[in-house]
Amino acid sequence: MTAALNLPIIDLSSPDSLSSATSIRQACIECGFFYLVNHGVEEELLGQVFEESSKLFSLPLEDKLKLTRRQHRGYTPLFSENLDPTSTSKGDSKESYYIGPLDDVTRSNLNQWPSEDVLPSWRPTMESYYRKVLSAGKRLISLIALALNLDEEFFEKVGALNKPTAFLRLLHYPGKLGSTDEEIYGASAHSDYGMVTLLASNGVPGLQACFFFFVCREKSKQPRIWEDVLHIDGAFIVNIGDMLERWTNCLFRSTLHRVMPAGQERYSVAFFLDPNEDFVVECLKSCCSEASPPRTCPYKIENSLARERYLRGHILLTISKGSWSLFEYLQRIKELGDALVVYGTPVDGADMVYHTRRGLPDALEPFIDSIEVQIDPVLPDELHSLLLSKEISLLQMGKRP
Ligand SMILES: O=C(O)CCC(=O)C(=O)O
Ligand SMILES: [Fe+2]
């Protein structure tokens, strides 16, 4: 049995912004989660979102696969994501659908929409929800600015919120998973990579957070203690993401969370509100000093390669040589590794060797084994250069690795 924490409830319509800001500050420092009520998004609209979401996820898989995610928009099937690279599960037991920025001519047409003939109300419902939750999110961000003792228009004025990178993600966790001895998560442990997330669900439990660690560097510490984040009708659950954690020099917490299967079908809708793509996040002046220098270097959300979750969950764990040359494959791995360094969370040498090896064709296994007999432990750079020499000698013999 996990405990449930009483999270603060913030009223977005309260005229007393200073007192709301004080409560937000405390919540963001202590646990990185709070509830948001009177946010202006009607429960009726939320109900329609879940109804339309359920219609989409009930379509035959082949129809959903026609909308497979491209440019971070569209459908992701069950088990296609593993948010926690340390977990050995076969992937998260959820399917999802991403909708990207709407009112931006250069980006809005990247969105994919289900056919109007099949789901006529789907797009207008999602667009209406997107705009309303965006407006609530922007009001919340002015309170967050106040909570950081900044001008309430700070994030607007510095240009973070013109063309925000805001994504709506519909999620569906199936109720019955069949019997298995494997450890299965709806969503495995992760923190969100952006600024803030506004989450609503159909009330089926499952969301848990690890409020135990108060220092941002301790995310990988064990054991993890999980507490239920309970649903409140009509309230958003808000959590802080890594970007705001870094912006505030770890004053505000981006908390690990996960979704456990509850044996019942769960629908949720997350709205990830992040700065515009070109915006460089640097530690806020009010959050660093000589005694407390910035803990991370400036970075942008724009570089999707720098999204740790995306990198670790989708690429390093699934990359394979396929039809690339060895040179191209190793180059790609190196770029991914470098991007994780920029993000501040490098992959260690042994893991890099593991990922490189995992994606190679079986025919190269004996070669790698022979390297490991001679060099122990083998470093990624050594492995890469030995593989490149192998490629050259195979090509000289007229073979392709
Ligand atoms: O579905 C939920 O309750 C949480 C989803 C989540 O944490 C995420 O998509 O980042
Ligand atoms: Fe999340």
Side-chain angles (χ1 to χ4, degrees):
M1 210 31 209
T2 42
L5 196 86
N6 280 330
L7 297 173
I9 300 181
I10 309 295
D11 181 347
L12 195 58
S13 70
S14 162
D16 189 355
S17 333
L18 281 179
S19 124
S20 304
T22 308
S23 309
I24 290 180
R25 182 179 173 91
Q26 192 180 348
C28 294
I29 292 175
E30 286 179 1
C31 56
F33 269 75
F34 56 90
Y35 295 105
L36 190 70
V37 296
N38 296 324
H39 41 61
V41 184
E42 304 86 4
E43 279 196 70
E44 193 189 342
L45 178 58
L46 197 54
Q48 286 161 1
V49 166
F50 288 129
E51 208 173 293
E52 295 296 326
S53 176
S54 138
K55 286 184 197 161
L56 175 96
F57 290 122
S58 309
L59 292 177
L61 182 61
E62 65 203 78
D63 293 356
K64 293 186 278 189
L65 289 177
K66 287 185 192 136
L67 298 160
T68 293
R69 181 165 73 162
R70 285 196 305 271
Q71 311 239 42
H72 209 62
R73 284 118 171 123
Y75 176 71
T76 67
L78 274 179
F79 305 115
S80 63
E81 190 177 70
N82 186 352
L83 291 174
D84 178 0
T86 63
S87 119
T88 51
S89 84
K90 64 175 172 175
D92 291 347
S93 162
K94 62 163 188 276
E95 49 183 347
S96 85
Y97 199 95
Y98 283 100
I99 299 166
L102 295 182
D103 299 309
D104 166 356
V105 268
T106 52
R107 292 187 293 172
S108 56
N109 54 10
L110 297 175
N111 275 319
Q112 307 192 62
W113 303 104
S115 150
E116 271 179 48
D117 297 336
V118 182
L119 298 176
S121 314
W122 206 88
R123 180 171 176 173
T125 305
M126 298 309 163
E127 288 184 333
S128 166
Y129 183 76
Y130 184 104
R131 293 199 170 93
K132 290 201 169 169
V133 74
L134 174 61
S135 147
K138 284 186 171 176
R139 277 184 287 137
L140 172 63
I141 283 186
S142 21
L143 289 180
I144 289 180
L146 283 181
L148 287 163
N149 303 322
L150 301 165
D151 176 326
E152 67 179 317
E153 286 171 29
F154 172 83
F155 291 106
E156 301 275 352
K157 284 184 182 157
V158 293
L161 292 183
N162 69 36
K163 298 197 191 161
T165 311
F167 277 85
L168 194 64
R169 188 182 197 192
L170 302 166
L171 293 140
H172 173 227
Y173 305 87
K176 300 269 171 289
L177 295 169
S179 63
T180 166
D181 294 338
E182 257 188 280
E183 194 174 36
I184 299 230
Y185 297 98
S188 44
H190 67 283
S191 55
D192 294 349
Y193 60 72
M195 197 174 175
V196 282
T197 305
L198 288 84
L199 180 85
S201 81
N202 67 341
V204 170
L207 180 64
Q208 297 183 332
C210 182
F211 297 117
F212 188 64
F213 302 121
F214 281 75
V215 183
C216 57
R217 292 178 175 217
E218 289 187 334
K219 277 194 182 124
S220 53
K221 217 171 136 179
Q222 302 285 350
R224 292 173 175 170
I225 294 171
W226 295 97
E227 292 183 75
D228 290 325
V229 180
L230 301 180
H231 167 88
I232 297 184
D233 277 347
F236 284 132
I237 293 168
V238 175
N239 66 286
I240 299 303
D242 300 347
M243 197 167 217
L244 195 54
E245 184 178 83
R246 283 149 191 245
W247 224 329
T248 62
N249 216 15
C250 300
L251 176 69
F252 283 10
R253 300 181 55 208
S254 164
T255 303
L256 278 183
H257 53 283
R258 67 182 187 183
V259 177
M260 296 305 283
Q264 273 172 284
E265 216 175 3
R266 172 181 163 91
Y267 288 90
S268 67
V269 53
F271 187 73
F272 302 105
L273 182 50
D274 305 332
N276 60 299
E277 295 185 343
D278 301 321
F279 189 78
V280 179
V281 169
E282 283 182 80
C283 175
L284 291 165
K285 288 204 175 57
S286 55
C287 297
C288 53
S289 63
E290 234 172 81
S292 169
R295 293 187 187 204
T296 46
C297 40
Y299 78 112
K300 293 183 189 180
I301 199 114
E302 164 261 343
N303 182 2
S304 65
L305 283 182
R307 293 177 184 183
E308 184 190 18
R309 170 163 90 168
Y310 180 72
L311 283 172
R312 289 184 192 273
H314 295 279
I315 306 182
L316 275 179
L317 293 182
T318 55
I319 194 163
S320 78
K321 181 186 159 299
S323 57
W324 283 328
S325 68
L326 264 177
F327 176 77
E328 288 164 330
Y329 171 65
L330 297 173
Q331 189 70 18
R332 186 93 180 96
I333 293 205
K334 189 163 173 357
E335 280 166 17
L336 297 171
D338 290 348
L340 281 164
V341 172
V342 170
Y343 191 81
T345 56
V347 179
D348 77 24
D351 280 355
M352 211 59 183
V353 167
Y354 167 80
H355 291 303
T356 307
R357 187 175 179 157
R358 190 195 32 73
L360 288 170
D362 292 347
L364 284 170
E365 279 284 311
F367 176 67
I368 310 269
D369 287 342
S370 71
I371 295 176
E372 286 188 338
V373 169
Q374 291 162 47
I375 314 169
D376 181 28
V378 61
L379 300 173
D381 283 352
E382 281 171 300
L383 177 66
H384 284 209
S385 63
L386 288 166
L387 280 165
L388 288 177
S389 317
K390 178 77 177 168
E391 176 165 61
I392 292 168
S393 63
L394 285 170
L395 289 172
Q396 280 166 349
M397 289 189 284
K399 294 187 194 157
R400 211 181 132 80

